[in-house]
Amino acid sequence: MESLFKLTWLIPVFPLLAFGAIVLYVRRWKRVASWLAVAAIAVSLVLSQIVFWVAVGTPHLGEHPFEEVVRWLPTGLSAFEMGVMVDPLTAVMLFMVPLVCTMIFVYALGYMEGDPRYARFFAYVSLFATGMLGLVVANNLLMLFIFWEIMGLCSYLLIGFWFEKPSAMRAGLKAFLTTRVGDAFFLLGLLYLYSQTGTLAFREVLSEETLHHLASMSVTLPIFGTVPVATVIALLIFGGTVGKSAQFPLHVWLPDAMEGPTPVSALIHAATMVSAGVYLVVRMFPLFHAVPHGAAPGVVATIGAFTALFACTIAVAQNDIKRVLAYSTISQLGYMIMALGLGAYVAGAFHLITHAFFKALLFLGSGSVILGAHHEQDMMEMGGLRSRMKITFWTYIAGTLALAGIPPLAGFWSKDEILADAFNHGHYLAWAVGSLAAFLTAFYMGRQIFLVFFGHPRSHHAEHAKESPRTMTYPLLVLAVFAVLLGFVGVPEDFPVLGHLLGNPFHHFVGHEHAATPVNPLVMGLSILLACAGLGVAYLIYGRKPLEEGQPDPLTRLGVVYIVLKNKYGIDELYQATFVWLTIRLADLFAVFDREVIDRVVNAVARGTAIVSDGLFRFVDAPVIDGLVNLVGRAGAWLADLWGRFDLRVIDGIVNGVGAAAQTLGRAFRQVQTGRVQSYILLASVNVVVILAVLYLVL
């Protein structure tokens, strides 16, 4: 059975082949292109499921993961290796990523119907899926980084897919440039790690010997003083996660990514790009905690906790249905990062998996709402869709309750485990921040439900809304099942009755090296209370008396607080006024410097070169070089004439003499060859007589 692990190589290949086939051969046939992309990701899904279930049935996979490598890039005496690795973390990611991607691909068949670049879209998302799948199965950081950058390219192409819209074009560029900032730190971390260890393979980098070596070495940095090498490398690598997973202060690109098609938003927020950043921290978890009481975990936890609460507050005041979910994603990613910084490895990984399903469900549900409401995205212009889009409504409710943390849905178990771990280990501030974020999450999701689905339609778009086609609703139903049931694989073992029956298989499979988080009834009860309170407050404000057309948002009563939240604390404007302004000013200064200094220097050099060239022509080229060339030419002509005469008089004479001799001999012998048989017989008879006579005389 373990030989089936060799199928891992093929998992990223099929979407890559689909991308190449669409771009090179079938882009003119839209239906063929779309179904080719769906078929490719479906094959990857089947292969991933085979690998996952074989991994589940393989004992001690955590201690002895499957790994297969090939030599790839020579580096002198050694060579980088390209390979795949399957351990429990890889296996659960292979369960989640292709499944969610497949649902999104099928959903896109209906959502992108009629788009003039239909085939191009499916080519791009196929490459996007290739990037994430390749990243998950990679056995080393260099291979991971290559697929990481493929996703960065695809995010630019897909966020700005409708590039004729200036806002989409700017959003794609913003995402690309912002994530490149984080990627620059990530690359520096890889280079520093390789310089210290001579390897980037996970099994070697994360071995006890290597981690001890990195933790025991120190480097002196300005301002920070002496810092362990392991801490420096971990924080540099974490810079890539801050950019990719949109953590503060590089979070600004993710809300603008809503300019892309909704399937792209679902891919980015659930199955691929932002999940990759958290996956990187989960994969490199031992490195972050290599230094006892080191600074890296604290920095990670602080940024995660701050981002979780910060993004929640912004989501409360947003009216764009997708933008609310975007800030929700940033907040939930903050939860995961906080958990990993606090040492809650299993809780962070579990929330990464459950979040992917219910967030994909919510984004696809929002796309269904947008399409049904004739591309209206403002929640203040919706309302009353519950009776018009029943499948979308009920699946959206499932995703909302999972995100809000209502038991027994998936989000409750994973979020509660994070809060319980923080409380049990004395991280009370992190627990308080997470609990407050949980309350706000339930509130803004309740606000969204009541604004979109309840009350009366507040615009003609909502009035004439209709349910989406089956290619869009079927994926919603599948994802809703996982949003409701997936959390049961992580029920704590000491949870009354249910824990003893289910036995927390997720922890035993993924977190066998980590202690399970015991149930804390106080934390769990307060978590449920806060989630219900958030939904209850949303009901009191928006549900008990739904808004009517033209009625302002009740939150406007908060005055300046509402304005600050709605304007996202002015972070974008601050960046525009500082970093962007400074970059543009420096570019302008360099342009002036280029024009006033560099161009003048270049022109002066050009004029000097012209003067030198003219002098060389007058005094060297014409009298000397040309003279030598002409002399050589005349000598060559004289030798050629001499050789011509020798050729004509000697060689041609010999050749002509041989020809004349041949002609003379030919004329003489031509008399012998008369062509008459009688003459030949007579001549032969004479020869015989002569020969006989000679022989007679001799003998």
Side-chain angles (χ1 to χ4, degrees):
M1 289 293 289
E2 293 186 14
S3 61
L4 293 175
F5 281 137
K6 294 182 180 295
L7 296 174
T8 308
W9 282 102
L10 299 176
I11 292 174
V13 169
F14 287 95
L16 181 62
L17 292 177
F19 165 75
I22 294 171
V23 170
L24 297 176
Y25 301 111
V26 300
R27 63 183 182 274
R28 296 181 180 178
W29 300 285
K30 296 181 179 180
R31 288 293 179 189
V32 175
S34 61
W35 282 106
L36 179 61
V38 172
I41 193 65
V43 173
S44 293
L45 171 61
V46 172
L47 296 175
S48 298
Q49 291 298 315
I50 293 173
V51 171
F52 170 74
W53 290 109
V54 172
V56 170
T58 302
H60 309 297
L61 184 64
E63 293 86 354
H64 306 288
F66 167 80
E67 189 171 12
E68 192 171 53
V69 298
V70 295
R71 289 177 62 87
W72 172 41
L73 189 65
T75 59
L77 298 178
S78 62
F80 280 120
E81 294 177 333
M82 178 181 292
V84 296
M85 182 179 72
V86 179
D87 66 352
L89 177 60
T90 302
V92 297
M93 291 296 289
L94 287 178
F95 176 83
M96 179 271 287
V97 173
L99 179 55
V100 175
C101 284
T102 301
M103 295 301 101
I104 295 171
F105 276 46
V106 174
Y107 176 94
L109 293 173
Y111 189 89
M112 297 302 294
E113 182 69 37
D115 193 281
R117 294 187 289 273
Y118 190 76
R120 180 186 297 184
F121 173 84
F122 281 96
Y124 288 168
V125 294
S126 295
L127 186 60
F128 210 162
T130 300
M132 187 60 186
L133 292 172
L135 180 146
V136 168
V137 302
N139 80 319
N140 64 82
L141 280 165
L142 179 61
M143 186 173 166
L144 182 148
F145 185 73
I146 292 171
F147 286 105
W148 176 284
E149 291 302 310
I150 288 175
M151 284 196 294
L153 168 64
C154 292
S155 69
Y156 168 73
L157 296 174
L158 287 167
I159 293 171
F161 185 75
W162 291 322
F163 52 80
E164 59 273 8
K165 293 170 53 180
S167 58
M169 177 273 295
R170 289 193 295 268
L173 184 61
K174 184 177 183 179
F176 187 79
L177 294 178
T178 305
T179 54
R180 293 289 76 69
V181 174
D183 292 355
F185 287 104
F186 186 12
L187 181 59
L188 289 174
L190 296 190
L191 295 174
Y192 193 24
L193 176 62
Y194 185 75
S195 70
Q196 297 298 315
T197 64
T199 181
L200 294 176
F202 292 130
R203 293 187 66 181
E204 298 175 15
V205 169
L206 301 179
S207 66
E208 292 185 6
E209 295 81 6
T210 303
L211 293 176
H212 178 73
H213 169 71
L214 294 175
S216 60
M217 294 179 61
S218 299
V219 60
T220 302
L221 300 176
I223 301 176
F224 300 102
T226 302
V227 183
V229 170
T231 299
V232 176
I233 295 173
L235 291 178
L236 287 173
I237 291 176
F238 181 63
T241 294
V242 171
K244 215 68 160 184
S245 291
Q247 297 297 283
F248 183 86
L250 299 180
H251 67 284
V252 292
W253 69 269
L254 193 56
D256 289 353
M258 300 304 97
E259 292 291 341
T262 297
V264 174
S265 303
L267 273 175
I268 291 175
H269 289 255
T272 56
M273 192 159 171
V274 297
S275 296
V278 179
Y279 171 79
L280 177 62
V281 180
V282 178
R283 174 58 72 191
M284 302 301 294
F285 183 83
L287 176 64
F288 283 86
H289 294 268
V291 180
H293 310 292
V299 172
V300 172
T302 300
I303 290 179
F306 177 81
T307 304
L309 183 58
F310 171 80
C312 269
T313 59
I314 298 176
V316 165
Q318 301 304 306
N319 292 332
D320 186 303
I321 185 173
K322 289 171 63 178
R323 197 169 289 270
V324 172
L325 297 178
Y327 280 105
S328 171
T329 299
I330 297 173
S331 176
Q332 295 303 306
L333 294 170
Y335 259 107
M336 302 171 206
I337 295 299
M338 179 185 75
L340 296 170
L342 297 177
Y345 174 87
V346 178
F350 189 31
H351 200 53
L352 172 64
I353 301 300
T354 59
H355 174 266
F357 284 98
F358 60 71
K359 188 51 64 71
L361 171 61
L362 289 171
F363 265 106
L364 297 185
S366 71
S368 180
V369 168
I370 292 168
L371 192 65
H374 307 283
H375 298 283
E376 179 60 66
Q377 295 186 206
D378 189 349
M379 296 188 300
M380 305 304 291
E381 299 295 320
M382 296 180 185
L385 299 185
R386 176 179 56 172
S387 59
R388 292 166 174 79
M389 307 181 70
K390 294 182 180 180
I391 297 178
T392 300
F393 167 69
W394 286 111
T395 54
Y396 210 92
I397 287 292
T400 296
L401 296 180
L403 175 58
I406 300 298
L409 279 73
F412 165 74
W413 300 107
S414 56
K415 181 200 68 175
D416 183 75
E417 187 171 353
I418 293 174
L419 296 178
D421 191 274
F423 189 88
N424 292 343
H425 289 88
H427 305 294
Y428 299 118
L429 180 59
W431 168 77
V433 169
S435 299
L436 180 56
F439 168 78
L440 293 175
T441 299
F443 171 73
Y444 66 67
M445 288 308 299
R447 172 178 179 265
Q448 187 176 73
I449 287 291
F450 292 121
L451 284 177
V452 173
F453 293 103
F454 286 82
H456 300 289
R458 292 185 294 276
S459 68
H460 69 280
H461 299 295
E463 181 70 33
H464 297 93
K466 60 180 180 179
E467 187 59 274
S468 300
R470 286 177 295 180
T471 54
M472 296 174 62
T473 55
Y474 284 172
L476 296 180
L477 294 170
V478 173
L479 292 171
V481 171
F482 284 96
V484 173
L485 300 178
L486 186 62
F488 288 109
V489 302
V491 177
E493 284 186 307
D494 55 343
F495 189 83
V497 182
L498 195 59
H500 296 292
L501 291 175
L502 298 177
N504 199 349
F506 185 88
H507 182 275
H508 284 292
F509 183 55
V510 176
H512 55 279
E513 295 181 353
H514 302 269
T517 301
V519 172
N520 188 315
L522 174 64
V523 172
M524 182 175 288
L526 185 58
S527 175
I528 297 172
L529 179 63
L530 289 172
C532 293
L535 293 175
V537 172
Y539 170 76
L540 292 175
I541 297 176
Y542 296 97
R544 184 175 57 176
K545 187 178 180 181
L547 297 183
E548 300 295 336
E549 185 175 356
Q551 186 177 349
D553 189 341
L555 289 182
T556 55
R557 299 172 187 171
L558 296 176
V560 67
V561 174
Y562 174 78
I563 295 174
V564 170
L565 297 181
K566 188 174 180 61
N567 291 320
K568 302 159 289 185
Y569 294 97
I571 299 295
D572 285 284
E573 290 75 13
L574 176 63
Y575 286 177
Q576 187 70 32
T578 53
F579 299 112
V580 177
W581 179 87
L582 180 61
T583 302
I584 294 174
R585 295 287 80 79
L586 289 175
D588 290 340
L589 288 174
F590 186 79
V592 173
F593 177 78
D594 179 68
R595 183 175 60 252
E596 298 297 330
V597 179
I598 296 179
D599 283 356
R600 291 185 178 182
V601 171
V602 170
N603 292 334
V605 171
R607 287 193 295 270
T609 303
I611 293 172
V612 171
S613 300
D614 183 68
L616 290 173
F617 174 77
R618 291 173 178 271
F619 301 105
V620 178
D621 184 65
V624 179
I625 297 178
D626 285 356
L628 290 174
V629 171
N630 293 334
L631 178 61
V632 171
R634 286 193 293 271
W638 180 79
L639 289 173
D641 180 68
L642 180 63
W643 178 257
R645 294 185 182 185
F646 175 79
D647 179 71
L648 180 64
R649 296 182 180 180
V650 178
I651 296 177
D652 285 358
I654 293 172
V655 172
N656 293 335
V658 172
Q663 285 183 340
T664 302
L665 291 174
R667 291 192 194 97
F669 284 104
R670 187 170 56 190
Q671 301 300 322
V672 178
Q673 300 293 331
T674 62
R676 295 177 181 178
V677 177
Q678 300 91 327
S679 300
Y680 296 158
I681 294 173
L682 177 61
L683 184 60
S685 301
V686 172
N687 288 335
V688 170
V689 172
V690 172
I691 292 171
L692 290 174
V694 171
L695 291 174
Y696 177 77
L697 294 175
V698 172
L699 297 176

